[in-house]
């Protein structure tokens, strides 16, 4: 064994090389503590022994190291300053697109503290979870270590047969983990690689994915064996440049010749400052031909790994695999082995070593504690102890010597946790880097190496060989073919995003990879973890794509129009793979707008078109003048609307020329949808603009005309686009709601009418609260509110005809109807004055007259009646004086109401004439009813309402005048205690004065109606005195002559008063009923009883009254008439004789008067 080990040391050069560059280091520090744990765990005793003592049967192995060309020397920078900078700042060469592009290429895929340097990547959500305390550099170096370990047996990494151990991935069949060449998809290479790269590589993967070959000369990937640092092109530091190995010594102090292993001669010594020697100069050594880079060299260059880091890795593997021929790479817990075999002396200083050690511990923490593939309880003692050790490394490096108790505890914990199974027992499968999301982070970091670091938009031509090598890490990382396809798709898509979408081929390649992903997704044996991984990636890609598709006018132009097709294909493919209906929220996740369920490709593309055009249109309308135009304010509003129409037309043209030809692949009516959307957007702004206007002016007419032209252009675009369709585009045109400028004008006009009518309604509301019904003046005996209302109506009509539009009869009718409704409301207010029933006295109960009794005669002699005279004295002082009128203030206000209604009537005629005869309304615009009927009135209903209101108010005023104002001299005192004691003459004198006041207050048109209603009220009051005045009146048959004389005097008052306001015929027609009742009072009691019996039987439907039967009591109707049984009965009740008294007592048991 010792001989074998000595042989290895002899063939393997010492690796403690003195470099002038800082090696990989990390700066994250943690404040941790540690505590001891027992070294051995019973469940993993064998494994612990294996790791700690490596006691495996010795097998001869050979090791032929192959060094990759070293990195160039860095400028002489103090190491303390260099440590404060990130690894990427030193080991990332300049790119064609600058440092920001490089940073974007290594965008954080693991930590929450990483920053994106590329704004385009800000909205691309990393879908695979986050890792705490690990940055991109940590993940990248760990990925390379795993990759190097898995590929160690491949040519170019350590020799053809050196340290022969294998990855289980090399022996897998056609499963998820691997496949034959015939079943490989575009994301996997078709042939194994890892040796030297051919001078003219051809890539099956790039050809399948549609990626162009780089077409570089063979020398682009050659190792320069004779070129020193001074020959490196300015501005670029090639990672493949050779570096002279200075004095190299082994850890034991033995020295070996570096020329034995170098691929280039030593660098020349720097020029001396001493005077030049006179001896002739020596010739330069002959140059060696350049050779192609191996896959190992390309990978180290792409991963930006220093030679020192790789050398340390080589030494660790050599020490680890001594005597373990054939050991699989996935059984090596690489961070633990690195900690065991690398000491601080192999690093530049202790700080660098501590950074390196902490990185290894953080990788173990992430793989075994934070994200294990097999769940572990937090209370697990091994996990608790391992976490304590990791935290302890924050303050100082842990002791990793063989005698260290902490190291033994660390090994015990790590081995036990890595080799456990799901049920907690030991397992033959090692799990330390296959937990999600650590494995995905590491694998994606590897996949990013396929992009050329000199131009990140390009994929290396050697991608087939590199991916074949990466496949060897699958067993360690728990990756299989479906997961590889997901990761590879994501890497291609992410690279397209972070490079500012400069290379459409990357997007096309990502779309092509989705085909493979879709095939994998259809398999029935999908695991839940795979479905979750797939969904997360698709959702992230779809959200990013949809953000641009929903605003493609903003993100794409004539130069980048090709990206729309690829991006749309990818978004729709993602939706199809997800296999579910997608809900799209209109607007940016800010407001909860309308929700639309999208269940087809056409519907989704339809939504993209509408959303993008709405956004583009909204950007145009962001102009302040346009915003003012939507409210109808600002002097430049009209100009802004005209400019908006022009830009809308240009936007429609741009959509048709650039985007519609592409979108028609998925949506046959893409142009129509776009045109309809723009038509709706402009129509909305146009309506808002018109809605804020009170009148139409010339500028508004220009805006409307431009809107009509725009509408015509949009419709014509649709028709031209669908000339060959079945309906010629008429179907989509029908979806365009026309602007209907005329309708908009009519709507605006109606709004103007409503606004003006609102002023009238406000006036009416004030009048209801403040109107006192006093005359405005003697010359204007109507209410003030009526005059104000008519002024508003006149101004409204005049302003209406000044609007510069073609006036139609319909618009005039709208104006008239609004005015009529307002006037009718006012008429209702005027007529709200009660009813005549509130002034009519209630009828007393029927009683029989018993005034011929002896007691009543004696009482009448002792107390002669003076009631009538006393009542009259309250209205006149003496017979010669002129009595004053008894009309109250309330009755006079009713007269003002009558005058107001007649005032409205006269002004309505004037308004009607203006509307009918206005020259602004041409005859061809007038309706047929106006042409055929010249007497048509716009206010017919209002005129009818006024007439009804006049009748009502006149009647109420008359009954108030007679039954309330004149009651003391008329109804209350007439014929009290005998007809001869109180005649009607005083009441007639008062009535004449009241009628004189009436004619003086009312207008001429109102007097006749008011006089007629007073006459009716007076005649009804006279009848009620004769028939329904109760116990205060009793008449004899002989009194009828006085009644006739008094009634004739009452009739003469109305025939002579008011200069013929009432004709004698009209008076006589109203007097016929009263005269009929007076004629009944001239009949004998027997005749009255006989007439009553006949009338009562006819009214009740009885043919005759038998012996012992009683006559029915007739109902009181209030319609007095000589043939009415109730009227005849009331005459009998007021008849002062024994026969009437006896009949009433016997037939109806009426009570005596008290």
């Amino acid at each position: 064994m010792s001989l074998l080990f000595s042989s290895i040391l002899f063939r393997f050069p010492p690796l403690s090389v003195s470099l002038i560059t800082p090696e990989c280091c990390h700066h994250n520090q943690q404040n941790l503590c540690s505590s001891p744990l027992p070294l051995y765990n019973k469940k993993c005793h064998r494994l612990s022994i294996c790791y700690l003592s490596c006691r495996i049967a010795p097998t001869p192995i050979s090791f032929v190291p192959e060094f990759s060309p070293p990195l160039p020397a860095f400028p002489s920078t103090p190491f303390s300053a260099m440590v404060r900078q990130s690894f990427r700042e030193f080991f990332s060469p300049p790119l064609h697109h600058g440092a920001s592009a490089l940073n974007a290429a290594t965008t954080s895929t693991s930590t929450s503290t990483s920053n994106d340097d590329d704004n385009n990547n800000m909205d691309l959500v990393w879908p695979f979870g986050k890792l705490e305390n690990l940055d991109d550099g940590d993940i990248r170096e760990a990925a390379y270590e795993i990759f190097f370990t898995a590929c160690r047996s491949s040519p170019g990494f350590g020799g053809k047969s050196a340290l022969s151990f294998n990855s289980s991935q090399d022996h897998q069949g056609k499963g998820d983990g691997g496949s034959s060449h015939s079943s490989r998809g575009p994301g996997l290479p078709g042939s194994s690689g890892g040796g030297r790269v051919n001078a003219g590589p051809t890539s099956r993967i790039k050809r399948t994915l549609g990626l162009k070959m780089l077409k570089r000369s063979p020398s682009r990937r050659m190792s320069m064996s004779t070129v020193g640092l001074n020959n490196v092109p300015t501005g670029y530091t090639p990672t493949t440049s050779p570096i002279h190995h200075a004095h190299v010594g082994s850890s034991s102090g033995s020295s070996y010749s570096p020329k034995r292993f170098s691929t280039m001669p030593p660098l020349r010594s720097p020029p001396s400052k001493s005077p030049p020697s006179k001896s002739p100069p020596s010739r330069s050594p002959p140059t060696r031909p350049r050779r192609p880079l191996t896959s190992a060299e390309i990978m180290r260059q792409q991963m930006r790994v220093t030679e020192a880091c790789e050398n340390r890795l080589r030494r660790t593997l050599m020490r680890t695999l001594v005597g373990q021929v054939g050991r699989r790479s996935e059984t090596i817990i690489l961070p633990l082995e690195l900690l065991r075999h690398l000491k601080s002396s192999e690093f530049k200083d202790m700080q660098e070593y501590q950074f390196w050690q902490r990185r290894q511990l953080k990788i173990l923490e992430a793989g075994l504690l934070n994200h294990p593939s097999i769940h572990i309880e937090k209370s697990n003692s091994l996990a608790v102890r391992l976490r304590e050790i990791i935290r302890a490394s924050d303050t100082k490096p842990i002791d990793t010597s063989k005698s260290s108790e902490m190291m033994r505890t660390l090994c015990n914990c790590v081995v036990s946790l890595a080799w456990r199974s799901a049920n907690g027992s030991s397992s033959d499968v090692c799990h330390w880097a296959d937990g999600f999301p650590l494995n995905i982070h590491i694998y994606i970091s590897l996949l990013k190496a396929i992009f050329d670091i000199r131009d990140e938009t390009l994929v290396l031509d050697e991608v087939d060989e590199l991916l074949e090598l990466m496949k060897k890490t699958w067993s360690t990382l728990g990756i299989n073919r479906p997961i590889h396809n997901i990761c590879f798709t994501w890497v291609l898509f992410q690279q397209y995003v972070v490079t500012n979408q400069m290379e459409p081929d990357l997007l096309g390649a990502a779309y092509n990879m989705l085909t493979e992903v879709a095939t994998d997704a259809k398999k029935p044996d999908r695991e839940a973890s795979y479905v979750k991984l797939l969904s997360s990636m698709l959702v992230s890609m779809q959200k990013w794509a949809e953000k641009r598709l929903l605003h493609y006018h903003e993100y794409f132009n004539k130069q980048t129009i090709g990206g729309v097709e690829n991006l749309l294909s990818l978004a729709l493919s993602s939706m199809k793979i997800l296999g579910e209906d997608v809900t799209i929220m209109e607007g940016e996740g800010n407001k909860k707008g309308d929700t639309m369920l999208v269940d087809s490709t056409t519907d989704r593309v339809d939504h993209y078109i509408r959303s993008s055009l709405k956004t583009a249109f909204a950007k145009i309308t962001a102009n302040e003048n346009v915003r003012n135009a939507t409210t109808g304010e600002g002097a430049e509003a009209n100009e802004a609307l005209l400019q908006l129409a022009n830009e809308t037309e240009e936007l429609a043209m741009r959509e048709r020329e650039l985007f519609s030809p592409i979108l028609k692949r998925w949506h046959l009516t893409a142009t129509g949808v776009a045109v309809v959307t723009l038509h709706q957007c402009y129509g909305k702004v146009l309506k808002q603009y018109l809605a804020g206007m009170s009148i139409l002016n010339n500028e508004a007419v220009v805006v409307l005309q431009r809107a009509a032209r725009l509408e015509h252009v949009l419709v014509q675009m649709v028709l031209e686009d669908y000339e060959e369709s079945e309906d010629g585009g008429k179907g989509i045109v029908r979806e365009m709601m026309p602007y209907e400028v005329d309708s908009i004008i009519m709507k605006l006009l109606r709004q103007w009418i409503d606004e003006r009518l609102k002023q009238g309604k406000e006036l009416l509301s004030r009048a209801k609260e403040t109107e006192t019904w006093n005359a405005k003046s003697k010359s204007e005996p109507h209410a003030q509110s009526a005059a104000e209302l008519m002024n508003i109506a006149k101004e409204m009509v005049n302003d209406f005809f000044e609007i510069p539009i073609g006036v139609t009869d319909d618009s005039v009718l709208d104006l008239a109807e609004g005015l009529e409704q307002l006037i009718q409301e006012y008429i209702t207010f005027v007529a709200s004055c009660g009813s005549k029933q509130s002034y009519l006295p209630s009828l007393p109960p029927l009683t029989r007259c018993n005034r011929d009794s002896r007691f009543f005669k004696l009482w009448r002699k002792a107390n002669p009646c003076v009631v009538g005279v006393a009542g009259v004295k309250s209205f006149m002082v003496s017979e010669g004086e002129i009595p004053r009128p008894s009309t109250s203030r309330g009755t006079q206000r009713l007269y003002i109401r009558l005058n107001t209604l007649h005032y409205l009537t006269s002004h309505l005629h004037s308004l009607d004439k203006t509307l009918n005869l206005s020259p602004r309304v041409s005859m061809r615009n007038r309706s047929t009813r106006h042409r055929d009927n010249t007497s048509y009135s716009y206010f017919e209903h209002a005129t009818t309402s006024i007439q009804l209101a006049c009748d009502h108010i006149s009647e109420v005023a008359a009954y108030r005048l007679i039954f309330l104002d004149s009651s003391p001299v008329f109804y209350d005192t007439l014929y009290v205690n005998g007809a001869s004691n109180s005649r009607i003459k005083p009441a007639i004198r008062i009535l004449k004065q009241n009628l004189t006041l009436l004619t003086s207050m009312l207008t001429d048109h109102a007097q006749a109606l008011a006089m007629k209603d007073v006459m009716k009220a007076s005649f009804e009051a006279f009848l009620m005195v004769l028939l329904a005045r109760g116990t205060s009146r009793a008449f004899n048959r002989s009194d009828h002559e006085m009644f006739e004389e008094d009634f004739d005097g009452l009739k003469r008052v109305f025939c002579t008063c008011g200069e013929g306001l009432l004709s004698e015929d009209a008076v006589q027609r109203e007097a016929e009923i009263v005269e009929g009742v007076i004629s009944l009072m001239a009949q004998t009691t027997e005749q009255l009883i006989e007439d009553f019996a006949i009338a009562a039987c006819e009214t009740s439907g009885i043919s005759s009254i038998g012996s012992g039967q009683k006559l029915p009591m007739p109902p009181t109707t209030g319609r007095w008439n000589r043939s009415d049984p109730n009227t005849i009965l009331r005459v009998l009740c007021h008849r002062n004789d024994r026969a009437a008294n006896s009949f009433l007592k016997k037939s109806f048991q009426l009570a005596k008067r008290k």
Side-chain angles (χ1 to χ4, degrees), residues 78-246:
F79 181 72
S80 59
M82 300 171 69
V83 166
R84 290 193 293 268
Q85 304 183 40
S86 68
F87 178 82
R88 291 187 300 271
E89 293 175 353
F90 287 96
F91 294 95
S92 296
L95 302 179
H96 293 175
H97 301 290
S100 61
L102 174 59
N103 292 336
T106 58
T107 302
S108 173
T109 60
S110 58
T111 69
S112 59
T113 59
S114 61
N115 295 322
D116 296 324
D117 296 323
D118 191 275
N119 292 331
N120 285 311
N121 196 27
M122 293 299 290
D123 56 349
L124 179 61
V125 179
W126 172 261
F128 304 121
K130 296 181 179 180
L131 297 178
E132 296 78 15
N133 303 322
L134 290 172
D135 61 20
D136 291 341
D138 296 335
I139 296 298
R140 186 177 63 254
E141 292 184 29
Y144 183 77
E145 291 168 353
I146 294 173
F147 172 79
F148 188 91
T149 303
C151 300
R152 191 64 187 87
S153 60
S154 301
F157 285 87
K160 296 182 180 180
S161 61
L163 294 179
S164 177
F165 64 91
N166 305 295
S167 169
S168 62
Q169 190 63 43
D170 298 333
H171 307 286
Q172 291 179 2
K174 298 181 182 180
D176 286 341
S179 60
S180 64
H181 296 323
S182 61
S183 62
R184 295 178 188 270
L188 288 175
S191 61
S192 62
R196 296 189 182 277
V197 180
N198 295 330
T202 58
S203 171
R204 186 188 67 87
I205 291 179
K206 294 184 72 172
R207 185 170 58 254
T208 304
L209 295 180
L211 297 172
K212 57 180 176 289
M213 300 298 291
L214 301 185
K215 298 180 181 180
R216 293 191 176 118
S217 63
S219 62
R220 294 291 298 275
R221 290 290 177 186
M222 295 291 182
S223 174
M224 296 180 293
S225 61
T226 60
V227 180
L229 289 177
N230 295 332
N231 297 332
V232 177
T234 304
Y236 171 65
T237 307
T239 56
T240 57
S241 299
I243 185 171
H244 170 65
H245 289 271

Side-chain angles (χ1 to χ4, degrees), residues 845-852 1023 1025-1031 1033-1037 1043 1076-1096 1111-1114 1120-1122 1124-1148 1150-1153:
L846 295 175
T847 57
R848 52 193 174 91
C849 184
N850 61 343
R851 290 196 172 189
D852 286 339
L1023 278 176
V1025 168
L1026 299 181
L1027 301 175
R1029 198 56 187 97
T1031 60
R1033 291 176 175 85
F1035 307 121
N1036 297 319
R1037 179 187 177 193
F1043 297 156
V1077 173
I1078 292 175
S1079 65
L1080 284 177
M1081 303 187 75
Q1083 295 180 0
T1084 62
T1085 302
E1086 292 75 11
Q1087 185 63 41
L1088 289 173
I1089 293 174
E1090 182 180 353
D1091 292 346
F1092 171 75
I1094 294 172
L1111 290 169
M1113 174 66 75
W1120 315 122
N1121 191 284
R1122 63 173 297 162
D1124 176 42
N1126 186 268
T1127 302
I1128 299 173
L1129 180 61
R1130 289 182 177 276
V1131 172
L1132 289 171
C1133 289
H1134 286 78
R1135 180 62 61 89
N1136 190 16
D1137 60 21
R1138 291 184 179 277
N1141 184 46
S1142 176
F1143 171 76
L1144 295 174
K1145 179 180 180 183
K1146 180 179 179 181
S1147 300
F1148 304 107
L1150 295 181
K1152 294 181 180 180
R1153 295 184 180 181

Side-chain angles (χ1 to χ4, degrees), residues 570-812:
L570 185 138
L572 296 177
S573 180
S574 299
M575 178 192 71
K576 185 177 180 180
I577 296 173
L578 287 172
E580 59 184 11
D581 294 341
V582 180
T583 300
I584 296 180
M585 299 296 295
E586 281 214 12
E588 292 286 332
N590 322 320
K591 303 182 184 170
K592 288 185 181 181
D594 298 331
T595 302
M596 179 174 62
L597 189 64
V598 179
D599 57 1
S600 71
T601 298
T602 302
D603 290 338
R604 182 173 286 272
V605 175
D606 184 282
H607 182 66
Y608 293 156
I609 296 172
R610 296 180 186 273
S611 175
S612 182
L613 286 170
K614 287 179 181 178
T615 303
F617 187 85
K619 189 175 181 180
I620 298 174
T621 57
N623 183 278
E624 183 177 357
N625 293 331
V626 178
R627 288 199 303 268
N628 293 336
T630 59
T631 59
E633 301 174 356
E636 300 179 355
N638 297 314
E639 185 64 28
L641 261 293
L642 295 175
Q643 180 64 25
L644 179 61
N646 295 333
E647 295 187 19
T648 302
E649 185 173 339
E650 293 175 1
L651 183 60
M653 295 295 185
R654 180 168 177 257
E655 173 72 20
R656 185 178 67 172
E657 295 174 2
L658 294 182
F659 299 101
S660 293
I662 297 175
L663 298 174
K664 280 185 178 181
R665 287 184 51 193
W666 295 273
H667 198 306
L668 295 178
T669 58
T671 302
V673 171
V675 168
V676 169
T677 303
L678 288 177
H679 183 270
Q680 292 172 348
C681 290
Y682 187 82
K684 183 178 180 181
V685 175
L686 179 64
K687 289 181 180 180
Q688 291 176 349
Y689 163 74
L690 294 174
M693 298 177 57
S694 58
I695 60 173
L696 293 176
N697 48 39
N698 295 333
E699 291 78 7
V701 172
V702 174
V703 171
L704 291 173
Q705 291 174 347
R706 181 64 183 91
R709 291 198 302 272
L710 173 63
E711 185 175 43
H712 176 74
V713 169
L714 296 179
V715 172
Q716 191 63 29
M717 287 175 60
V718 176
L719 295 178
E720 291 176 359
D721 195 62
Y722 293 96
E723 286 180 351
E724 299 179 359
S725 62
E726 295 180 358
D727 62 349
K730 295 180 180 178
I732 194 68
V733 170
R734 282 193 293 268
E735 296 182 14
M736 299 174 65
M737 299 301 295
Y739 290 157
E740 297 180 350
V741 174
D742 293 339
S743 299
I744 293 176
I745 292 176
M746 290 303 300
K747 181 180 179 180
L748 181 62
L749 191 60
R750 284 192 294 270
Q751 184 177 356
W752 178 87
I753 292 173
D754 292 341
E755 188 67 25
R756 298 298 293 267
L757 289 174
K758 186 178 179 180
Q759 300 178 12
K761 291 179 180 179
E762 292 174 354
L763 170 65
L764 177 59
S765 183
R766 292 195 303 269
K768 290 179 179 179
E769 297 177 358
T770 61
E771 184 58 66
T772 59
W773 301 114
N774 292 321
K776 183 178 179 182
S777 64
K778 290 184 179 181
S779 60
E780 297 177 342
H782 51 263
Q784 176 70 23
S785 59
E788 294 176 357
L789 180 64
M790 286 298 100
N791 288 336
I792 290 177
K794 288 179 181 179
E795 291 178 1
M796 188 173 177
V797 171
N798 294 335
D799 294 343
F800 173 81
F801 286 114
E802 291 179 0
I803 298 176
I805 60 173
V807 180
T808 63
D809 184 62
D810 290 336
S811 60
V812 175

Side-chain angles (χ1 to χ4, degrees), residues 433-463:
D434 57 349
F436 177 83
L438 176 63
N439 58 343
I440 302 298
H441 283 255
I442 293 175
Y443 192 64
I444 287 180
S445 182
L446 283 176
L447 290 175
K448 287 181 179 179
I450 68 173
F451 299 106
D452 194 337
I453 60 174
R454 289 167 293 189
D455 186 349
E456 293 178 300
T457 63
L458 301 178
V459 175
L460 297 178
D461 292 341
E462 299 82 4
V463 60

Side-chain angles (χ1 to χ4, degrees), residues 1025-1075:
V1025 168
L1026 299 181
L1027 301 175
R1029 198 56 187 97
T1031 60
S1032 61
R1033 291 176 175 85
F1035 307 121
N1036 297 319
R1037 179 187 177 193
S1038 58
D1039 293 340
H1040 76 279
E1041 295 178 356
M1042 287 184 292
F1043 297 156
E1044 291 178 355
E1045 181 181 351
D1046 288 349
F1047 187 67
D1048 288 340
L1050 185 60
K1051 289 194 298 182
R1052 283 194 298 273
V1053 171
F1054 294 104
C1055 290
T1056 58
C1057 186
E1059 298 180 356
L1061 292 176
L1062 296 175
S1063 63
E1064 292 185 3
D1065 293 339
V1067 174
Q1068 186 58 41
R1069 283 194 300 270
E1070 294 294 334
E1072 288 178 356
I1073 296 176
V1074 181
E1075 290 174 346

